[in-house]
Amino acid sequence: MATALKIVPPEEKVTSFVSRKHKMLINGRWIEAASGKTFPVYNPATGEVMAQVAEGDREDINRAVSAARNAFENGPWPNLTSSERGRLIWKLADLLEKNLEEFAELESLDNGKPLAIARAADVPLAVDLFRYMAGWATKIEGNTIPISVPYTPGAKYLAYTLREPVGVVGQIIPWNFPLLMAAWKLGPALTTGCCVVLKPAEQTPLSALRLGELFQEAGFPDGVVNIVPGYGETAGAALAAHPDVDKVAFTGSTEVGKLILQAAAGNLKKVSLELGGKSPNLVFADSDLDTAVAGAASAIFFNHGQCCCAGSRLYVEKKIFDRVVDGVAEKASQIRVGPGFDPSTDMGPLVSKEQLDRVCGYLESGFAEGAKAVVGGSKMGDKGYFVKPTVLVNTKDSMKVVQEEIFGPVVTAIPFEDLSDVMPRANDSMYGLAAGIWTRDIQKAHRVAAQLRAGTVWINCYNIFDAALPFGGYKQSGWGREMGHEVLEQYTEVKAVCSAL
């Protein structure tokens, strides 16, 4: 599974960007933290510090929120036409596409993912998201409503609704898809006319900071987008609780999502949450096994398993259980684990030592409860944060490795007898983000999809995303939706207007 190192050095401009002392973007200016503090950013492939970034705190959040409020109420942003806003967002997408290779390299360095994946998926999906949202800028509409008021006989009224931007938005994004998650948040906020304070994950702030430079290059007015890196318990908490923030949008763990909700209660700001998952992936005996095996492996091992919708609970019909487990294990054993800049790498390191310790802790818990690793089951090497792709069997539904989100390349494989056996178990989770179904029986596929308590159900595919396709969770996997036209509801207020004629 390990590969010989064939590291391709990053482009000179990437090396130059990473090596700077990074500041934060507030009101169109790059400034140091009010405290003067910085924090280290680590290369997950080596565990070594590769950058120093300004450490935002409460005072920096105050300054950023003030800048966003002024831009929303007094700056040129509210006076732009919807078409002008859309053109600015489209221009940003063009600039991002122009610098695709640079951003792919930043993502690979910062997150650890293979460069080829960042180049093919992360950056193009972000570009597409901004273009999709640019198109919505001119299509956010209200309605005219015929009303009948029995206590004013004979009176005539003109009644209509307006969709208006919610205001100043605090956005807190995770480290697994740093650039793409920034796009998912920023795109709809900007197309609806909101102003933003973005807090990137402390593990992966670099692409967000570089994106801030593109916002300036595209010509966005000062204060419309402010970027404050820092730690979740300081900068993130201050943003979520800030009394002059109208809405907070968060992607991350369910545990932190609950803290965000508590912090937001002070002024009852609007909240949208895209949280954790423990997604069931159901393989039926009538499926195309070659496709199902490859899909099941990809469902869990894509992005090192650091995917909130990862197919981490693999339920396989009993009669084909051994064949599917052996097939997924064989796929896992063929995955080449190494640094993201090695062209032969299929899977990079986990993002941090904290995440490495978390995943290894879950493995130890599984083994203590009787689980067995068909393949993998441990960390790899002494340098960097690498974990072997792992397939666990002999697992029970009550085990921590089955019930709790591991967020690493670990799948639990569990046999089932029939639909009546598997459906309650598939839904037996506090999460409800995604699910997968593998079968040739299209009627069964859609019946099962209707019964699964999940925000996204993939049939004979997995991890298919598009800017037009809404994404979000049931139960403790979150509130609201990202992407699609549904996300626009998260960033707008509906105003009813009634005029006597």
Side-chain angles (χ1 to χ4, degrees), residues 395-444:
T395 56
K396 299 177 181 178
D397 292 330
S398 59
M399 290 181 176
K400 283 180 64 176
V401 290
V402 177
Q403 286 295 321
E404 298 183 15
E405 185 178 38
I406 298 173
F407 223 63
V410 181
V411 63
T412 59
I414 306 169
F416 69 88
E417 295 286 350
D418 52 29
L419 270 177
S420 64
D421 174 29
V422 75
M423 291 311 301
R425 297 164 73 188
N427 285 327
D428 181 21
S429 172
M430 72 177 194
Y431 299 110
L433 190 56
I437 302 167
W438 303 86
T439 177
R440 285 191 177 98
D441 185 338
I442 197 66
Q443 290 182 326
K444 177 167 65 179

Side-chain angles (χ1 to χ4, degrees), residues 62 65 95 105 155 157 202 261 281 390 415 419 422 459 481:
N62 286 339
V65 171
L95 289 170
E105 291 187 7
Y157 301 95
E202 59 266 29
L261 274 180
N281 199 10
T390 300
L419 270 177
V422 75
I459 298 173
R481 292 295 179 267

Side-chain angles (χ1 to χ4, degrees), residues 320-338:
I320 59 167
F321 181 76
D322 289 342
R323 291 168 62 191
V324 171
V325 168
D326 289 346
V328 174
E330 176 63 22
K331 295 284 186 186
S333 68
Q334 294 172 357
I335 292 173
R336 295 165 295 190
V337 180

Side-chain angles (χ1 to χ4, degrees), residues 21 81 367 444:
K21 183 178 178 182
T81 66
F367 297 144
K444 177 167 65 179

Side-chain angles (χ1 to χ4, degrees), residues 141-153:
E141 302 169 342
N143 297 298
T144 55
I145 304 169
I147 62 174
S148 303
V149 185
Y151 53 82
T152 57

Side-chain angles (χ1 to χ4, degrees), residues 357-366 400-401 404-406:
D357 292 342
R358 171 188 172 89
V359 172
C360 290
Y362 273 107
L363 289 172
E364 291 170 7
S365 168
K400 283 180 64 176
V401 290
E404 298 183 15
E405 185 178 38
I406 298 173

